[in-house]
Amino acid sequence: MAHITSKYAIIVAGGKGLRMGADIPKQFLPVGGKPVLMHTISRFHAYDKDLKVILVLPKTQQVYWQELCEQYHFDEDYQLADGGASRFQSCKNGISMIPTDAVGLVAIHDGVRPFVSCDTISRCFDTAETAKAVIPVLPVTDTLRFIGDSQSGRNVLRSDYKTVQTPQVFDIQLIRQAYEQEESADFTDDASVVERLGQVVTMVEGNRENIKITTPFDLKVAEVLLEL
């Protein structure tokens, strides 16, 4: 017998922080007085306090994370899954924590996107109830230039492109089936894994503040966003 319809969020945090030039992985760096990853988890519980959160972390980082949780008195509810050798494997490990007969939706989100809005999360979940595969996107504001094999390249219409964010929300059984496929270099995000099955992916509006923190500049922007 299937479980009642459930909502999950898998938060994938496997970064090593190399672009930060820091010894501490970027998801653990403090923003506004607490680690980035804590802000991210809290954002999903702000959307729905009963949301089941699965945090995917490399085994080598889990002891340090537990120490941070004690230090910052962070006691929000979540399950912990082991990170894999790639993002694909990490997502697969997170999905494996969901009961095999669960019926419902799961969001997959980057651990270093702590400013996703509750509105964006809600749009993704609400649309996925019928669409089964949903991604948040934004219009491209910069001029884009296609390089290919050319030295000089050529400009392309930015109206033909969107920037893609997370969370990407899917029907649980659909994403489970998708991650049973062999890993491929063509899989750039979770949506591309699902599309390999022939599933149409629906786009909804993201939010501009939903930045991915990967550089020292991003950290400075994050501090400003917290003050808004």
Side-chain angles (χ1 to χ4, degrees):
M1 182 175 177
H3 288 194
I4 58 172
T5 299
S6 304
K7 282 185 181 177
Y8 288 84
I10 296 172
I11 297 176
V12 185
K16 297 179 175 63
L18 300 179
R19 276 177 284 183
M20 281 291 181
D23 294 331
I24 301 173
K26 56 197 175 187
Q27 59 265 23
F28 301 143
L29 293 173
V31 172
K34 66 180 180 181
V36 167
L37 191 50
M38 292 181 186
H39 288 283
T40 306
I41 294 171
S42 295
R43 190 55 64 102
F44 278 85
H45 280 144
Y47 156 71
D48 181 350
K49 63 181 177 57
D50 296 321
L51 189 69
K52 300 175 183 71
V53 173
I54 297 168
L55 173 62
V56 185
L57 269 183
K59 279 187 178 180
T60 55
Q61 297 178 7
Q62 290 179 10
V63 171
Y64 181 63
W65 167 248
Q66 300 290 359
E67 291 170 353
L68 286 176
C69 288
E70 291 179 19
Q71 178 183 340
Y72 288 90
H73 307 290
F74 185 77
D75 57 1
E76 295 201 24
D77 191 37
Y78 63 88
Q79 289 179 276
L80 194 59
D82 294 337
S86 63
R87 191 183 187 282
F88 181 93
Q89 292 298 326
S90 292
C91 289
K92 190 170 184 174
N93 289 353
I95 293 165
S96 72
M97 301 285 285
I98 301 174
T100 54
D101 58 350
V103 175
L105 300 172
V106 57
I108 302 180
H109 188 68
D110 296 323
V112 289
R113 288 187 187 267
F115 300 115
V116 60
S117 69
C118 288
D119 285 345
T120 293
I121 300 172
S122 181
R123 274 192 295 274
C124 291
F125 270 107
D126 291 350
T127 305
E129 287 182 10
T130 52
K132 292 195 172 185
V134 176
I135 59 174
V137 300
L138 287 177
V140 175
T141 55
D142 292 329
T143 297
L144 291 178
R145 196 164 183 85
F146 176 75
I147 303 301
D149 297 328
S150 167
Q151 288 291 327
S152 58
R154 59 181 172 83
N155 282 10
V156 293
L157 282 175
R158 62 187 173 205
S159 58
D160 285 344
Y161 298 88
K162 300 285 186 184
T163 58
V164 179
Q165 301 181 331
T166 65
Q168 300 185 358
V169 179
F170 306 95
D171 173 85
I172 290 172
Q173 297 302 331
L174 172 67
I175 195 70
R176 192 189 302 281
Q177 181 187 356
Y179 271 91
E180 288 172 357
Q181 300 175 100
E182 289 294 319
E183 185 171 357
S184 167
D186 296 335
F187 295 155
T188 54
D189 64 356
D190 306 292
S192 60
V193 183
V194 164
E195 283 178 318
R196 181 64 65 84
L197 295 179
Q199 173 68 41
V200 173
V201 172
T202 299
M203 296 182 291
V204 298
E205 183 184 0
N207 64 289
R208 186 67 63 187
E209 306 81 19
N210 187 15
I211 63 170
K212 189 174 183 180
I213 298 177
T214 56
T215 68
F217 175 79
D218 297 332
L219 267 182
K220 293 184 183 297
V221 173
E223 293 287 356
V224 173
L225 287 173
L226 278 175
E227 295 173 2
L228 297 180

